[in-house]
Amino acid sequence: MRTIGVFDSGVGGVSVLKEVLRKFPADNIIYFGDSLHAPYGEKEIDEIRSLCLKVSDFLVYEKKVDALVIACNTATGAAMDTMQKRYGIPVVGVVENGAAEGVKYTHNKNIGVIATPATIKMDLYKKSIAKIDSSIKTYSVKCPLFVGMIEKGWEDTLENDELIKSYLNEFSVEIDTLILGCTH
């Protein structure tokens, strides 16, 4: 029986955790939500990497996990390569799967990405999508105000609808696929 560590910059990774539990029902799963340092999405890349390494060191060296799943887009971009080199275990993130799904569903080859400022700054989805299909154009919008909206507990309100519409109106072309990269 393996032990798989799943971590996120908060509690948003619970959706990833559910999928890990579904795919690996016989394994031990440890979930670490770093709410103390959330949100990661507005921090500098070096600080995010440092936070990720503290969490992953704990999971690898203290909890003895056999694999790590980074359930955070921002953390995937900031630290996955470093973590893959640092530990002798599988380390996977969430960006490649999101990019692959976006590529699968686009018809006009214009994909929109809404995410944290850090995720957009690293061009994570643009790079991942280009590896799959270089003819696809990726357009990104930073959504820093999603943090407050999500932290207050998602509610279907006029104010939230207007915030979402304001971000979506920033796309200068017609996209037919939208990737919600991350909120924190």
Side-chain angles (χ1 to χ4, degrees), residues 6-28:
V6 178
F7 84 90
D8 188 21
S9 62
V11 296
V14 171
S15 59
V16 175
L17 172 64
K18 288 178 184 175
E19 186 64 16
V20 171
L21 288 166
R22 189 183 70 73
K23 287 196 175 212
F24 303 101
D27 292 324
N28 292 319

Side-chain angles (χ1 to χ4, degrees), residues 138-159:
T138 306
Y139 303 90
S140 301
V141 173
K142 299 174 191 174
C143 300
L145 298 179
F146 276 179
V147 173
M149 182 175 71
I150 301 299
E151 287 298 317
K152 286 190 251 179
W154 172 260
E155 293 181 24
D156 190 12
T157 66
L158 184 59
E159 181 183 54

Side-chain angles (χ1 to χ4, degrees), residues 41 45 73-75 113 115-125 181-182:
I45 305 305
N73 291 266
T74 304
V113 177
T116 65
T119 296
I120 299 299
K121 181 178 180 180
M122 290 183 279
D123 273 337
L124 299 178
Y125 280 94
C182 49

Side-chain angles (χ1 to χ4, degrees), residues 22 50 59 68 71-72 86 107 117 120 126 140 143 160 162 167 176:
R22 189 183 70 73
S50 176
L59 291 170
L68 284 169
C72 171
R86 185 176 183 132
H107 297 290
I120 299 299
K126 186 175 189 173
S140 301
C143 300
N160 287 347
E162 291 303 317
Y167 284 135
D176 71 349

